[in-house]
Amino acid sequence: MKKTEMNHDDARHQINHIAGERAFGRHVGSDRLIQVGLDALMAGVESPSLAMLAGLLRSEEPEAPDLFNQVLEELGLQPPADPRAAKWATAYWIARQIVNGSLDPAVGSHLIWADVAYDLGYPDDLQPFVACASNLEDWDESWGISIETLKEEAFEAAEQLLSKQAPGERKE
């Protein structure tokens, strides 16, 4: 699993994901908004406000939320209005990052377990991530299984989840 650079679609998904987090009450710091803007700019996403967001200095961080909102408008991106749909979108987004190598499977499993599965009532499709995250968190050398094997199980869980996503919703 090699790490790949973020492409245009991944960057747009990341922007939409952050928009969803903000829409459902999660705090997203200005530093993170600026980094998302920089990542998107480097991935070839174009928007007049995006360059301004990505170029903000530390003293200008208070401007980031308003610029991020302008970027959303310019790109025509809006988070899902339904909180459950937003959580599922987050799960698929994290799974895509695991599969494309931009997110460590252990970290991704933990994020799905902590940020998604609980809020959705631990649905069957997310149970493999809960198990993987728990095993990775509690892993000990005495188990006779390598940490790499556990990470591979998390990778396979991500592939499995993505295979269940409706074809029109897949962003591969």
Side-chain angles (χ1 to χ4, degrees):
M1 293 178 286
K2 72 177 182 102
K3 182 172 174 137
T4 57
E5 287 189 29
M6 185 177 292
N7 65 35
H8 184 273
D9 288 341
D10 291 337
R12 287 180 61 95
H13 289 297
Q14 184 179 35
I15 291 169
N16 210 33
H17 171 75
I18 297 299
E21 285 186 38
R22 292 174 73 223
F24 295 107
R26 297 207 48 195
H27 172 73
V28 179
S30 293
D31 58 332
R32 191 165 166 213
L33 296 176
I34 294 167
Q35 185 62 52
V36 166
L38 183 58
D39 291 346
L41 198 61
M42 297 298 293
V45 177
E46 295 182 13
S47 150
S49 299
L50 187 59
M52 292 173 20
L53 174 64
L56 288 178
L57 303 173
R58 181 167 298 297
S59 63
E60 300 170 316
E61 282 185 359
E63 299 174 33
D66 289 337
L67 280 171
F68 185 81
N69 289 338
Q70 284 178 251
V71 168
L72 291 176
E73 187 174 316
E74 291 165 2
L75 296 176
L77 296 174
Q78 294 301 319
D82 171 28
R84 288 188 64 79
K87 287 293 181 182
W88 277 107
T90 298
Y92 290 122
W93 180 73
I94 293 169
R96 272 192 301 279
Q97 288 187 305
I98 292 170
V99 170
N100 75 22
S102 63
L103 183 63
D104 181 78
V107 173
S109 291
H110 181 78
L111 288 172
I112 289 175
W113 176 26
D115 293 347
V116 179
Y118 173 81
D119 291 340
L120 292 175
Y122 296 104
D124 289 344
D125 285 347
L126 299 184
Q127 287 300 324
F129 294 101
V130 173
C132 288
S134 179
N135 288 337
L136 285 161
E137 189 172 296
D138 295 339
W139 180 80
D140 185 271
E141 291 179 13
S142 68
W143 286 12
I145 187 170
S146 71
I147 195 96
E148 288 77 23
T149 300
L150 294 175
K151 286 184 177 186
E152 184 61 32
E153 288 175 10
F155 182 86
E156 290 169 5
E159 288 182 319
Q160 182 66 26
L161 179 65
L162 292 174
S163 75
K164 294 179 180 182
Q165 191 174 18
E169 297 174 352
R170 291 187 189 147
K171 312 285 191 226
E172 302 174 84

